[in-house]
Every structure is written in C-alpha cells, then in structure tokens.
C-alpha cells in the first residue's frame, strides 16, 4: 500500500501564492506534515505555472529536500518539468515517483528515457492516442499495450503504478464497476504491477463528495488497488485506509490501526 | 439490498425497560422511525426476557402492527418465540422474516416447519452441531449442507438469507477475508441465495468500532452481501449504504443517493 500526499499542488488555493512568492516554510511544513500522518510519497505539482513550470519544479523539489528526505512524486505532463524534478531530487538516495506516462505515442517517447535513466516508480495512465477509454475492453487493450511497451523498454513490473482513470459516476452508473473490473483484470494478468488512482473524480457533480470518495477508496482496496493520491490530513479518509487494511488482513494484529488510533491520526 | 433495523432489541439499555413496562408508544415510534429512514424490515428481539419471551414477542409484534404494517424480522433462537411472533404478524399480508435457523439438528428440525408454514424470509446461520466453523472450508461444508437441506425441505433459494457468521478481526487477521471468500463462494455456487450479517462482531475488542463496522459494510457489499442488520438511524452508516449502492451501479442515475441527501438521511 502506497499513499501519495497530494497537497503540494499549485492548483490549490492555499498553495498557488506560496509557490509564486516562494514561501519555503509553508511548502516544507506541508511536506513534513503529510509524511508525519502517514504519506509514503509527497506529490509535487506546479502545473499552473505555465510560464516557469520547470524552474518552479526545481525550486519546489530543492526546498522540500532541505527539510526532509521523503521520496517525491514529481507530477507533470511535461517531460521537461519531470526531468528538472528528478534531477533536483537525485541526491537523496530514494526511489522517486513520476506522474505520469501514458500510451500516447509522443508522451510515451518523451518520458520513457527519463524512466530508464532514473528508475523511478512510474504512474502510467490508461490512455492512448485515441483518448480516454470508453469501455472495460478499451481499457484492457490500452493496459496490455502500456505494460508490454514498458517492460519491453526495461521498466520492471514492480515500478509500474497503473492508473485506470476514474470517471464520474454522475456521468454513468457503471463508472465505478468499470474500475473494479479493470483492477481484477490487472491483478489476474499482471500480478507484479501496482495500481493507483486519485479519488475525487468519482464523485464529480454529486453532493457529499467526501462520503463517495471514501467509499470508493474502500471498494477499490477490496478489489486490489494498492496506491492512492489523496489528502493524508483528511482524518476520515485515513480512517478508511487504516480500517480497510486491518480488515483485509494487511495489518498483522491490527498494530498499525491501533498505533494510528493512539496518535489520533484518523476518525 | 435489504436493511433490517436492529433497534427493537431488549438487550439494549433503552429498550429493556420499555419492554418490561410495556411502553407501546416508545416501541411504535422506534419502528416507524426506522422504516422512515430506510429500513426494509424491523427486527424484534426480546431474548433477554427468559421467563416470558413468548408472551413478550406476541405483545411486541401486536404493538408494532397497531402503528404500521412494516414487515418484521422475528428474532429468537427459540421456536416458540418465533411461532408466537409469526402468528401475531400473520394478518398484515407481508412476507415476514425469521432470524434464525442453523444446521444444528435440533434447531433445524424445530424451526423448519415454521418456515414451511409461514413461508418467511429465513436467516440461516452458518453453524452446525460442530459449532461455529473455523475455516473457509468448514464454512463451505456447512453452507452446502444448509442450502441442500433447506431446498429439499421446500424452501426457495430466494427465501434464504445466509449469515456467514462474522468473527472479530482482533482474534485473527483473516476474519474479514474469510467472510469475503465465503460471499464469493455463495454468489458463484448459489446465485439465488441472499446473504446477510450484523456488523458489530467484526470490530469487537478494537477502538473506533464504528469506523471498522462501516468499512466492513462497504467491503462486504463490494463482495456481494445484500442484507444487513444494522442501526438505520446511524447517519454515517447509512451514508456508506447509499454511497456504496451508487458506486456499485445499484442506483440508477444516483436517484436514491440524491433523494437521501435531500432528506438529510446520511452524512
């Protein structure tokens, strides 16, 4: 199970000014805080800085690494920003993560050499030049292509975190089930490959989104998802994580559940 | 999906005196309230009244039926109390439920004739003369025996609500997984048979039990459970029910989720 703390993202209201004004303290505190409450990786996304994303990514990574040596998830569709982030993070001896590669020809070709050079964990979005898959069969076709190409290009199955791409259930009753079917296919066909997703898309357009997001985490964990990009400061979400792991036999003697309870990390 | 509201149970502190003092108003209000917030059946359990369970069951059923015609889950290990409850409920034209029969020879033989006479929904606990099953294989053996005997004795698969018997995860890391494996076996082998459980056993001996109970509901729904005995006034539990159904494709256009949101039935 791998949790990527999503909070250092310049599209968030609280972060955008901190990034623009280079408020190192705020960024560092947020990185430390996420690790402290249970994140394994700290996401770094400054995609809103369209005119200086590369320099901003470099600054963010250097800034975070002055405060801690947590592994980072360098998050951008741009290979230049990913390259800058990976280069800046190189010194800390951890295996970083990049988010993301896809089966789109141009993006794949741009990013695969970075993955070969730095050997990071690699989020692979389930989309190709035809766009987002419409059906489970489409997804499976893209997944087969992605995994075959990645392993042919020297990426180990264990490095790959497939993101099945979650669509809102408000746009189709089957949206959740399609993800679950996809997870079962990946577990069966590629047991070494990991899976990951963000949660908020599932609830787009509906009220009480946090309830839906939390339930979708529990459902997808039940079907075998083992990575999430989420807000680790959301104590109810973390309650779902700790309780799910305990009940799925992933937490011997419920030690982590009990420890998190004592530290007040969830509710 | 079938929800049995569990609150009219004389082992609960608030209910015991109401039952002993025959406080009809309190009982009737609680029946109405549970139906209003989404229970399909109202459980009636007065097992603590060891010296007058039969008369008390009859009074409870008559009292509830003066206020509403909701179908009832007559809940007792005693065939005499079940018989009294079923007889008293006979007039309302609904299919009642009884909780429970088992594969224990004496209990099976005592209760099967009631099931044949009244044709209720029938909670069948997964235990036999050897006691509670220890492993998934044991469970499967008991389940096969129970379903074969019940259908041979004229009970339709659709009437049967198998309760796999939930053990606390605090006594064994595999307790939740065993239930999930059992659910998958039942869905595959007896697609017409329903499944049901109470939730609180899973969290026995651990802190923050409500979180664990809620997560276990979502996990077991994901694996195909379609009945629960629970507190329908617990708005967080009902949030898990409504959100799970929406995300599992069991709520066309999320109509029930949206309706429950408007009525404030969950959070």
């Amino acid at each position: 199970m791998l949790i990527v703390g999503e909070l250092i993202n310049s599209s968030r209201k609280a972060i955008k000014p901190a990034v623009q004004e280079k408020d190192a303290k705020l960024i560092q505190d947020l990185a430390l805080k996420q690790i402290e409450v249970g994140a394994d990786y700290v996401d770094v996304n400054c995609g809103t800085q369209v005119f200086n994303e590369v320099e901003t990514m470099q600054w963010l990574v250097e800034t975070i690494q002055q405060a801690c040596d947590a592994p980072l998830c360098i998050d951008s569709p741009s290979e230049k920003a990913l390259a800058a982030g990976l280069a800046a993070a190189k010194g800390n001896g951890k295996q970083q993560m990049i988010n993301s590669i896809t089966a789109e020809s141009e993006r794949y070709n741009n990013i695969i050499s970075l993955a070969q050079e730095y050997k990071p964990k690699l989020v692979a979005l389930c989309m190709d030049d035809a766009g987002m898959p419409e059906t489970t069969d489409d997804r499976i076709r893209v997944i087969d292509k992605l995994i075959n190409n990645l392993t042919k290009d020297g990426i180990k199955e264990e490095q790959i975190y497939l993101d099945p791409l979650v669509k809102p259930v408000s746009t189709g009753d089957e949206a959740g089930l399609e993800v679950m079917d996809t997870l079962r296919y990946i577990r069966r066909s590629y047991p070494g490959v990991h899976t990951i997703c963000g949660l908020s898309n599932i609830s787009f357009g509906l009220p009480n989104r946090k309830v839906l997001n939390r339930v979708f985490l529990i459902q997808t964990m039940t079907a075998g998802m083992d990575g999430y990009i989420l807000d680790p400061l959301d104590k109810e979400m973390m309650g779902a994580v700790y309780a799910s792991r305990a009940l799925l036999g992933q937490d011997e003697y419920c030690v982590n559940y009990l420890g998190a309870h004592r530290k007040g990390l969830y509710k």
Side-chain angles (χ1 to χ4, degrees), chain A:
Chain A
M1 180 76 181
L2 186 134
I3 293 177
V4 180
E6 71 185 4
L7 294 176
I8 300 181
N9 186 318
S10 64
S11 70
R12 296 181 61 235
K13 244 185 235 165
I15 302 304
K16 190 166 189 174
V19 166
Q20 290 175 333
E21 293 153 23
K22 293 207 163 31
D23 181 346
K25 179 80 169 56
L26 185 147
I27 299 294
Q28 290 169 339
D29 285 351
L30 199 50
L32 288 166
K33 187 80 196 149
Q34 291 184 87
I35 293 295
E36 191 184 310
V37 298
D40 303 294
Y41 276 69
V42 175
D43 197 73
V44 188
N45 182 317
C46 52
T48 58
Q49 302 300 103
V50 284
F51 299 113
N52 65 348
E53 186 185 359
V54 172
E55 297 77 5
T56 305
M57 180 63 85
Q58 185 182 342
W59 176 78
L60 278 169
V61 169
E62 287 170 351
T63 299
I64 294 167
Q65 300 221 316
Q66 283 157 18
C68 67
D69 64 355
L72 304 180
C73 177
I74 316 291
D75 185 358
S76 171
S78 144
E79 79 277 14
K80 291 201 177 66
L82 293 178
L86 285 168
K90 202 178 176 182
N92 89 342
K94 298 285 170 68
Q95 182 187 32
Q96 317 300 334
M97 186 169 211
I98 64 179
N99 185 0
S100 51
I101 199 165
T102 69
E104 298 160 297
S105 316
E106 190 182 339
R107 185 152 165 192
Y108 185 91
N109 292 330
N110 285 338
I111 293 174
I112 189 66
S113 57
L114 286 175
Q116 291 167 328
E117 180 180 354
Y118 290 95
K119 301 184 173 33
K121 294 181 196 291
L122 182 57
V123 178
L125 303 187
C126 179
M127 61 191 292
D128 64 5
D129 293 313
M132 259 181 88
E134 287 290 325
T135 65
T136 303
D137 285 348
D138 284 345
R139 272 171 212 255
I140 285 174
R141 191 180 43 74
V142 177
I143 286 165
D144 288 340
K145 181 162 74 173
L146 250 175
I147 297 181
N148 289 339
N149 287 349
L150 287 168
T151 50
K152 191 163 53 64
D153 286 335
I155 309 301
K156 296 204 178 86
E157 282 201 354
E158 290 69 25
Q159 284 176 261
I160 305 171
Y161 279 75
L162 254 185
D163 182 335
L165 288 183
V166 175
K167 289 186 290 191
V169 77
S170 58
T171 64
D173 293 335
E174 306 289 307
L177 293 175
E178 279 172 21
V179 172
M180 312 277 272
D181 288 342
T182 306
L183 289 171
R184 293 189 192 103
Y185 173 77
I186 295 168
R187 277 186 80 180
R188 206 167 52 235
S189 308
Y190 307 101
V193 168
H194 299 282
T195 43
I196 195 166
C197 74
L199 292 161
S200 56
N201 270 0
I202 194 71
S203 62
F204 183 80
L206 290 170
N208 287 29
R209 293 185 64 178
K210 287 191 144 199
V211 172
L212 289 162
N213 296 348
R214 217 155 53 222
V215 167
F216 194 59
L217 173 126
I218 299 162
Q219 291 180 337
T220 50
M221 279 185 74
T222 306
M225 184 88 80
D226 66 347
Y228 293 93
I229 303 167
L230 54 74
D231 171 6
L233 301 183
D234 176 341
K235 288 190 171 190
E236 288 174 314
M237 183 65 86
M238 291 307 280
V241 171
Y242 286 112
S244 289
R245 296 200 63 193
L247 296 178
L248 291 172
Q250 297 172 4
D251 179 10
E252 203 173 5
Y253 304 119
C254 304
V255 163
N256 291 317
Y257 180 82
L258 292 166
H261 169 72
R262 275 192 296 270
K263 290 185 200 153
L265 296 184
Y266 71 88
K267 62 181 183 185

